[in-house]
Amino acid sequence: MRPARRLSISPTVHFVNIRLAGAVVGAALAAACGSDKTPSPTQPACTLSAVVVSPATLTLPIAQSTTLSAAITQQNCGTLTPTWASTNQTVATVSNAGLVAALAQGTTTISATVNGVQGSAQITVPPCVSAVSVSPSSATISVPLTTALTATATPANCPGATIAWTSSSNAIATVANGNVTAVAPGTATITASVGSVSATSVILVQAAQLGSVWDQTILRVAGSGDAPNGFISAAWAASPTDVFATSYPFYYRFNGTTWSKLSGNSFGVEAMWGSSSADIFGVGQTVRRFNGTAWTDMTSPTTQRLRAVWGSGPSNVFAVGQGGTIIRYNGTSWSTMTSPTTANLTGVYGAGPTLIFAVAENGMIIKFDGTQWANVASPATNFLTAVWMDSPTLGYAVGLDGVLKYNGTGWSIDPTYTNSGSLLRAVWGSSASNVVVAGGAGFVSRFDGALWTGISRKTSVDLSTLTGSGTTTFGFGTTATLQLTGNTATLLSSAPELRSVWAVDASTAFAVGDDGVIWKYSNGAWQLQPTGTLARFNDVWAASASQALAVGVDLITNTSVAYRFDGTSWQPIALSGTSPLVSMWGTSFTNLIAASRFSPLQRFNGTSWGSATATNPGDAIALWGTSDTDYLVVGSSGFAARFDGAGGVTPIASGTTSALISLWGSSPTNYFAGTNNGAIYRFNGTSFTPMTVPSAFGATTGIWGTGPTQVFAIDYNGSVIRFDGTQWVRLRDGVSDSFYNALHGVSAKLFSVGPGGVAMVTR
């Protein structure tokens, strides 16, 4: 048998065959793919068909959480991560990992999304609160009063359980945070709800109750625009047509014609000085500066009360005050200066940076020479209040001793001035031939270089500030502003303090006060009645619209006065031998009893006055009666006494040492007396008993009522409360910028008056 034949292939032929095979394959691929590259294996396509969130529905209590899962139906997609979202994130939120947190009652949809394919679950968050209660469940209030409702959610510790308040009719009653305010008569249902759980309170709104709604008017004797109407404490004039003043709590500016109110609170400012209308300093309990637009607080190095301020320029200003305090402003900051006295300094003025004088309450005068302050000889033995310098050789200071004059060497009493007998409070001038002094009861005198001339008084209030520019001088009292040109004085603004009011009926009342002011209220309007006097009227009583009596004191002569109205005019009635009358009451115009603080009770018989008691019963402030034989008198330090109408006076222990300043009664066994610290005492015919009054009720300046179950009281800040026979309730909150001295009324209307010409009448 022949052996098998072995095939032998040369290397050259092998190489050729391989290249040929490669060429054939390459040609085939090139023909199929249009490329000469080698293809990769084919990858299966990703198929995503569904996303299913589990659980599909879920109830999740507030403050709890759970994790949802997302099942993804897919092929060839590898690992996929869904995007989570909540349609209502106030109800529940969801994290990137599917963690759902319940926040508040409601429903939301939680979705998981992968490449546009979405699955979802419905989440319900049930209310945590199972019940809500409202207290009280019903209430009756009058327009425009407010009452408070309280809502309680159960359980009390539910997270996010915020109570929402709604009213069924905002036209009848509104509600905010449980405080319901009466708008108009009717019935409104107030609902307190937490989610779908709620409770209600039914509110019955009655028409406005007497004493709850008031209209206020400022009764001005003079003044145009927004004139200051009381407590004017400081002033400074840049020119006759640019004058600044403070009247608590506002700043004012006068342009020569009208007044305007500036922004800012003037509380604590007692003196002013400026280098220009865009650079004014105000001092007192605080230190402030005006830049022409706004007042701003400055840092003061003292807590002492400052009484006066003056500067030689904007970077060299001095202020003086209590305890001998002296501070200086250098253009950057205030600093304390060494003072040679601890006496209270009341005035400062200079003739330049190296010649400045300050005066004190004890008559002392001190001088600054540019380096230090030192005492100088003073001829005054009494109170000095102000100083003014014209030049290094001429200056004036004033006080209880009259006028002091500086001649460049020393001070002496000015022999050309005749002492008026009253305390001079201010001095200012523009030259040696135009110097003005002013003081008590509206006194003004002007020196023309040769003589001092008294100026006809325009007010009886004390003038405490003088300022000016050129030949025009401005004088300021608590409620009045004067302009003086030469020896002619003009009343620029005046709103005298009103001290008493008496209502005849709903359309007629009389209000009296300072500067001889008597206003008559007639059919909704106040009318100023001429009296021809500047006396201070303390009280008024009226029998009718044409028969009234006012009593008080003439501050210029310091004598008691009484004026009678006959329906046409007010005329004085002779009254002598008594201290100023402060309060009166009577059963008729022929039997009026009046009290003073230092004399026996007085009686007016319709024609003349005479003593009703032989002795002074006490330091009386208020008097009221219920018949010809029953009068009660109260006063300072808790003084109280009963007058029988025939001369007999019986002291009564009031149970307080506070001043009793207001009084009203409906019968011998039902009197109410108010104190200067907000307390009210009830007198039952035998003894006084303190009453419970609403909190934050201040000095009780007025009490009046229609009977034992309807008594009203007002405090100095204007808070009004009512006694219903059982308790006192608040009818009106007080205010910060108006004050009240008295209260009177009739069954349908109440009246109240006070400082700054304030008159308030119920609707």
Side-chain angles (χ1 to χ4, degrees):
M1 181 176 189
R2 228 180 13 175
R5 189 177 178 186
R6 179 177 296 176
L7 179 63
S8 177
I9 301 175
S10 69
T12 303
V13 174
H14 185 225
F15 175 76
V16 171
N17 288 342
I18 289 174
R19 292 189 63 186
L20 177 62
V24 173
V25 173
L29 288 174
C33 301
S35 171
D36 60 356
K37 295 182 179 179
T38 302
S40 60
T42 301
Q43 297 292 332
C46 171
T47 302
L48 181 62
S49 58
V51 176
V52 178
V53 177
S54 182
T57 61
L58 178 68
T59 297
L60 189 64
I62 292 174
Q64 293 190 20
S65 61
T66 190
T67 300
L68 302 181
S69 63
I72 304 169
T73 303
Q74 55 97 1
Q75 290 181 347
N76 305 317
C77 294
T79 302
L80 298 175
T81 301
T83 300
W84 294 91
S86 171
T87 59
N88 191 342
Q89 296 191 58
T90 62
V91 173
T93 60
V94 62
S95 72
N96 293 333
L99 179 66
V100 179
L103 302 180
Q105 177 188 347
T107 60
T108 185
T109 299
I110 302 297
S111 63
T113 304
V114 180
N115 293 347
V117 179
Q118 187 181 85
S120 64
Q122 295 299 116
I123 304 298
T124 299
V125 180
C128 172
V129 174
S130 60
V132 173
S133 63
V134 176
S135 179
S137 59
S138 64
T140 299
I141 57 175
S142 302
V143 178
L145 302 183
T146 296
T147 190
L149 301 181
T150 301
T152 303
T154 304
N157 60 348
C158 288
T162 301
I163 295 173
W165 293 91
T166 58
S167 171
S168 63
S169 176
N170 286 325
I172 294 174
T174 60
V175 62
N177 298 321
N179 295 312
V180 181
T181 301
V183 178
T187 301
T189 299
I190 305 300
T191 301
S193 59
V194 180
S196 61
V197 183
S198 64
T200 62
S201 178
V202 178
I203 304 298
L204 174 62
V205 178
Q206 298 178 337
Q209 189 178 86
L210 181 63
S212 59
V213 183
W214 298 75
D215 292 320
Q216 181 171 295
T217 305
I218 303 299
L219 301 180
R220 289 192 177 94
V221 173
S224 58
D226 200 357
N229 61 288
F231 302 104
I232 302 172
S233 59
W236 181 79
S239 73
T241 58
D242 199 9
V243 184
F244 297 82
T246 64
S247 177
Y248 174 77
F250 303 111
Y251 296 96
Y252 293 84
R253 194 170 188 172
F254 180 64
N255 65 6
T257 304
T258 60
W259 293 90
S260 60
K261 188 182 294 182
L262 301 179
S263 61
N265 189 320
S266 67
F267 177 77
V269 175
E270 300 183 28
M272 272 200 267
W273 175 87
S275 64
S276 72
S277 59
D279 182 44
I280 304 173
F281 295 84
V283 302
Q285 301 291 351
T286 184
V287 178
R288 296 194 178 108
R289 192 174 190 180
F290 181 68
N291 63 4
T293 303
W295 287 88
T296 56
D297 288 326
M298 304 183 77
T299 300
S300 173
T302 181
T303 58
Q304 294 283 1
R305 173 189 172 195
L306 300 169
R307 305 278 294 275
V309 59
W310 176 86
S312 64
S315 299
N316 191 46
V317 185
F318 299 81
V320 301
Q322 299 294 98
T325 300
I326 305 172
I327 63 174
R328 184 181 189 179
Y329 181 69
N330 63 4
T332 302
S333 61
W334 290 90
S335 60
T336 302
M337 303 188 76
T338 301
S339 175
T341 180
T342 58
N344 296 329
L345 297 171
T346 55
V348 62
Y349 211 100
T354 60
L355 182 61
I356 303 170
F357 290 98
V359 296
E361 287 182 353
N362 62 359
M364 178 181 291
I365 301 176
I366 61 175
K367 173 185 173 182
F368 182 67
D369 61 5
T371 302
Q372 63 181 358
W373 289 90
N375 292 322
V376 298
S378 171
T381 57
N382 294 296
F383 204 117
L384 288 175
T385 56
V387 59
W388 172 79
M389 296 298 295
D390 175 67
S391 69
T393 59
L394 180 62
Y396 290 90
V398 297
L400 196 57
D401 289 324
V403 177
L404 280 61
K405 186 175 183 179
Y406 179 73
N407 62 5
T409 303
W411 291 89
S412 61
I413 300 293
D414 186 354
T416 65
Y417 174 80
T418 301
N419 198 327
S420 65
S422 63
L423 173 64
L424 295 180
R425 298 176 179 273
V427 56
W428 183 86
S430 60
S431 68
S433 59
N434 184 47
V435 183
V436 180
V437 297
F443 174 80
V444 180
S445 185
R446 176 177 174 271
F447 183 66
D448 62 6
L451 298 172
W452 288 95
T453 301
I455 309 301
S456 177
R457 301 190 198 217
K458 300 297 180 181
T459 179
S460 63
V461 301
D462 294 344
L463 298 174
S464 58
T465 300
L466 288 173
T467 185
S469 178
T471 59
T472 302
T473 305
F474 297 91
F476 295 84
T478 54
T479 60
T481 302
L482 303 176
Q483 179 175 298
L484 186 68
T485 303
N487 290 342
T488 301
T490 303
L491 199 60
L492 285 183
S493 68
S494 176
E497 180 168 355
L498 300 175
R499 298 177 180 272
S500 181
V501 63
W502 187 279
V504 176
D505 52 44
S507 61
T508 308
F510 294 91
V512 302
D514 292 355
D515 280 359
V517 163
I518 298 179
W519 294 88
K520 184 179 181 181
Y521 180 84
S522 181
N523 297 315
W526 291 96
Q527 303 164 352
L528 183 62
Q529 306 227 289
T531 61
T533 179
L534 291 176
R536 170 185 292 172
F537 289 121
N538 293 317
D539 202 8
V540 62
W541 186 94
S544 67
S546 59
Q547 198 173 50
L549 191 71
V551 296
V553 57
D554 186 323
L555 296 175
I556 298 172
T557 62
N558 198 31
T559 56
S560 301
V561 297
Y563 277 69
R564 179 177 181 174
F565 183 62
D566 59 8
T568 302
S569 63
W570 289 87
Q571 299 296 328
I573 300 174
L575 179 63
S576 61
T578 178
S579 296
L581 300 177
V582 294
S583 182
M584 63 180 168
W585 186 89
T587 56
S588 70
F589 207 68
T590 59
N591 187 40
L592 283 169
I593 302 298
S596 72
R597 303 197 67 174
F598 306 105
S599 297
L601 298 178
Q602 300 293 304
R603 186 192 303 273
F604 180 67
N605 62 13
T607 304
S608 60
W609 288 90
S611 295
T613 58
T615 60
N616 175 18
D619 190 0
I621 296 176
L623 176 146
W624 193 268
T626 61
S627 71
D628 286 344
T629 59
D630 179 62
Y631 300 84
L632 198 63
V633 188
V634 297
S636 62
S637 302
F639 159 72
R642 203 160 194 177
F643 173 56
D644 62 8
V649 177
T650 304
I652 303 171
S654 68
T656 180
T657 58
S658 298
L660 296 167
I661 60 175
S662 56
L663 181 67
W664 177 86
S666 62
S667 73
T669 59
N670 190 55
Y671 279 94
F672 298 82
T675 73
N676 61 350
N677 59 11
I680 297 178
Y681 288 77
R682 190 174 189 180
F683 180 64
N684 63 6
T686 303
S687 60
F688 284 85
T689 302
M691 306 185 76
T692 300
V693 299
S695 60
F697 191 71
T700 311
T701 52
I703 301 178
W704 183 86
T706 61
T709 61
Q710 182 165 263
V711 184
F712 302 91
I714 192 169
D715 73 3
Y716 190 61
N717 292 311
S719 293
V720 179
I721 59 177
R722 175 181 177 268
F723 181 68
D724 60 8
T726 303
Q727 63 180 346
W728 289 94
V729 295
R730 189 180 302 277
L731 297 181
R732 179 182 190 264
D733 291 330
V735 293
S736 61
D737 59 352
S738 295
F739 305 98
Y740 306 87
N741 283 334
L743 179 69
H744 197 266
V746 293
S747 59
K749 194 176 289 291
L750 298 178
F751 296 81
S752 183
V753 297
V758 168
M760 195 164 65
V761 184
T762 57
R763 294 182 186 175

